[in-house]
Amino acid sequence: AQSVTQLGSHVSVSEGALVLLRCNYSSSVPPYLFWYVQYPNQGLQLLLKYTSAATLVKGINGFEAEFKKSETSFHLTKPSAHMSDAAEYFCAVSRAGGYQKVTFGIGTKLQVIP
Amino acid sequence: SQTIHQWPATLVQPVGSPLSLECTVEGTSNPNLYWYRQAAGRGLQLLFYSVGIGQISSEVPQNLSASRPQDRQFILSSKKLLLSDSGFYLCAWSGAPGLYEQYFGPGTRLTVT
């Protein structure tokens, strides 16, 4: 079984401040982990992925995430928030296999305050 | 490059009416295809997935059904809509073994009145 827990359904940061969105996972086998972003009334866009290579993963729009096995975490960070980062962010977990079921967290809405 | 299309973008339907949502993928062959429903504050719920033509697996019992008549076409249907079917419906695809991420279409906003 696999699951993800996103801590904080809503996060507010000031423009220019650090963005930190938390995600903890549970998986009985080595996981593959993803972060997606969703803007209002749009589909999900892949931000970055971890697939057992480097533990620090860099994605689009200046985001990065670090896989920490000892903490079962995959937190998403960005050094300086922009107004355009306001969106909903989803953490997701999958694993190797012919059918790649992906389990999504419930999402974290990021508000950026000018 | 690969693209995924969904239509319609928005739909308002009365209770008891039929439903047909379509999803097509371009630029890849033999993709895995997925239908999700997203309700406010509830994340993404996987409804159906398909690993090939005519092969449909249901994750959640409901009054919806799915079909895959062609390799890159995935259809979500209902014979009689319920109020609880309202939501944002997302189609997604994933590719060859070793590519584990899913790529999403733009979604269909369904309101059942």
Side-chain angles (χ1 to χ4, degrees), chain A residues 32 34 36 38 40-46 49 51 88 90 94-107, chain B residues 32 34 36 38 41-44 46 49 51 59 88 90 94-97 99-107 109:
Chain A
Y32 298 119
F34 312 91
Y36 287 84
Q38 184 181 32
N41 293 311
Q42 295 186 25
L44 277 68
Q45 180 183 8
L46 182 67
K49 62 181 179 181
T51 55
E88 190 161 19
F90 293 90
S94 183
R95 57 183 179 175
Y99 157 53
Q100 306 103 21
K101 178 172 182 175
V102 178
T103 302
F104 290 84
I106 63 170
Chain B
N32 290 347
Y34 311 85
Y36 290 88
Q38 187 177 25
R42 298 180 64 181
L44 275 74
L46 178 63
Y49 67 91
V51 298
E59 288 285 308
F88 193 51
L90 290 161
S94 62
L99 297 178
Y100 300 101
E101 61 270 26
Q102 295 181 5
Y103 297 94
F104 286 80
R109 174 74 59 190

